[in-house]
Amino acid sequence: MTVSSAPGKVYLFGEHAVVYGEPAVPCAIERRATVTVDARDDDHIRVEARDLSLDGFTVEYADDTAERPDVDVPEDLVDAAMGYIDAAVEQARDAADAPDAGFDIIVESQIPLGAGLGSSAAVVVAGIDAATRELGVQLSPEAIADRAYRAEYDVQDGQASRADTFCSAMGGAVRVEGDNCSRIEAPNLPFVVGFDGGAGDTGELVAGVRELRDEYDFAADTVESIGDIVRSGEALLTDADPAAEPMPELLAELGRLMDFDHGLLEALGVSSRTLDNMVWAAREAGAHGAKLTGAGGGGCIVALDPTPETRTALRYTAECRDTFRAELDREGVRAASASANDGDRDETESEAT
Ligand code: PMV
């Protein structure tokens, strides 16, 4: 049995624009997906997913993935989760030159699905690491990031940047511009996340921005302006002392850039009323800045606030289902112990073959 975990992330700046070659700065956060893998004697894949939905589910299949099991969760959720796990398994089989390897897989996640916190990237990264190590192959975090990107690219029909997968594999704050990915030494920023309980459709949202950008020069300029914001924010981060508490002036400047970024994302049509309401609740509570994170349409916002005020305000905001502080996680994908998974098992999962 082999267990790996990998972090989720928030975008400090740059989602959507990164799809068109502008830079982005995602930051890994201390919320992880954990994947446990056991090699099987046959070529079947059995997946038990917990916490991806309220009830969790278990499915087992061999080659014929078209015949989907009858499980008590929405089909698109099963398809989404299974698609990423399938793609991770394919990458692991390829890396280990073991095309017929079969696995029992358990996925546990502290990251809400499709909410802009990089849940799918974390599952794919941890899944590739656990499955390759189970087959006796140790990949570097960079190699896992690359394979995870290819897996996401396949599942998302080419509508994926390297941002989520590189950030999850490497940890910390990272900079992604096209195929160029690197770590940034950043201070621990006081992130507060607000979650509306929903999810956006990344493919649809990316397609919407692409259409606007193709139709209007000012939309293309908006995407480029997001790139300018990222470059300004990145310069602030690289000038800061990564070991020190961030100075209020730095937080104020980063916050102003986050507010600007959210405004441009809103103009590109990827925000929503619930995300905007949470952003405004955070700003009115005194956060240095607030913006949506990830694809948008619903899901999460991220605010900068070292005080408890933003979380308190979000708790009293009708649109906010959950709020939490998200520490920067400087560690990316890592081996986890099997016992880490034994604690809070959900007994409500259903099983189908
Ligand atoms: O919502 P998430 O965490 O999947 O982030 C999507 C970010 C986009 O820039 C919209 C797409 C991408 O692949 O970078």
Side-chain angles (χ1 to χ4, degrees):
M1 176 187 287
T2 310
V3 190
S4 296
S5 77
K9 59 100 220 335
V10 292
Y11 270 93
L12 185 56
F13 311 111
E15 53 273 88
H16 283 286
V18 71
V19 174
Y20 309 99
E22 298 293 342
V25 177
C27 299
I29 58 168
E30 286 184 347
R31 288 230 154 187
R32 289 187 163 252
T34 301
V35 179
T36 304
V37 173
D38 243 328
R40 292 172 62 117
D41 296 338
D42 57 23
D43 63 357
H44 288 211
I45 306 294
R46 177 179 183 279
V47 180
E48 189 181 322
R50 297 170 181 156
D51 314 321
L52 294 182
S53 70
L54 291 180
D55 293 337
F57 58 85
T58 302
V59 293
E60 179 172 333
Y61 58 92
D63 281 345
D64 187 9
T65 48
E67 203 162 297
R68 277 293 148 91
D70 179 21
V71 290
D72 186 22
V73 289
E75 206 171 298
D76 54 352
L77 188 61
V78 177
D79 281 345
M82 300 308 294
Y84 288 111
I85 293 163
D86 273 348
V89 165
E90 276 316 311
Q91 287 295 331
R93 284 172 168 162
D94 182 59
D97 199 15
D100 298 324
F103 302 101
D104 286 337
I105 299 175
I106 301 172
V107 181
E108 289 159 289
S109 180
Q110 305 167 321
I111 313 163
L113 197 65
L117 298 184
S119 57
S120 55
V123 167
V124 170
V125 164
I128 292 175
D129 186 53
T132 46
R133 288 194 300 113
E134 177 73 2
L135 296 174
V137 174
Q138 179 85 50
L139 298 177
S140 67
E142 287 84 357
I144 292 169
D146 187 54
R147 286 192 175 272
Y149 164 67
R150 285 191 258 157
E152 279 217 333
Y153 189 91
D154 286 348
V155 179
Q156 293 172 201
D157 295 328
Q159 311 259 35
S161 71
R162 291 181 180 269
D164 283 27
T165 38
F166 185 76
C167 186
S168 184
M170 305 304 290
V174 304
R175 177 189 203 274
V176 173
E177 185 171 7
D179 289 339
N180 297 324
C181 307
S182 54
R183 268 193 74 148
I184 301 176
E185 288 314 317
N188 188 10
L189 298 170
F191 293 127
V192 175
V193 172
F195 175 38
D196 69 6
D201 182 328
T202 302
E204 239 172 59
L205 291 152
V206 170
V209 173
R210 189 181 296 282
E211 270 169 37
L212 275 180
R213 194 174 156 272
D214 289 346
E215 190 168 349
Y216 300 111
D217 287 347
F218 55 78
D221 293 345
T222 303
V223 169
E224 277 181 34
S225 297
I226 292 178
D228 292 338
I229 290 175
V230 181
R231 281 179 277 272
S232 304
E234 202 195 326
L236 293 173
L237 283 181
T238 40
D239 287 348
D241 177 356
E245 281 297 303
M247 304 292 281
E249 298 76 27
L250 171 66
L251 296 180
E253 280 193 73
L254 288 172
R256 191 184 306 145
L257 295 176
M258 289 169 76
D259 285 343
F260 217 118
D261 195 355
H262 182 77
L264 298 183
L265 290 166
E266 212 278 319
L268 290 171
V270 297
S271 191
S272 70
R273 187 180 282 265
T274 53
L275 293 173
D276 286 345
N277 285 356
M278 291 193 291
V279 160
W280 275 105
R283 289 175 183 161
E284 284 172 2
H288 291 287
K291 61 182 279 296
L292 66 84
T293 171
C300 291
I301 64 140
V302 57
L304 276 191
D305 188 356
T307 79
E309 299 300 325
T310 294
R311 264 173 306 156
T312 305
L314 285 171
R315 264 184 220 118
Y316 288 101
T317 301
E319 292 78 9
C320 183
R321 286 274 297 275
D322 191 14
T323 177
F324 51 89
R325 190 168 280 296
E327 297 288 323
L328 184 70
D329 194 338
R330 295 184 196 274
E331 229 185 324
V333 62
R334 67 174 181 226
S337 67
S339 59
N341 280 333
D342 288 339
D344 54 355
R345 295 226 154 155
D346 181 350
E347 298 305 326
T348 56
E349 74 223 16
S350 53
E351 177 153 7
T353 52

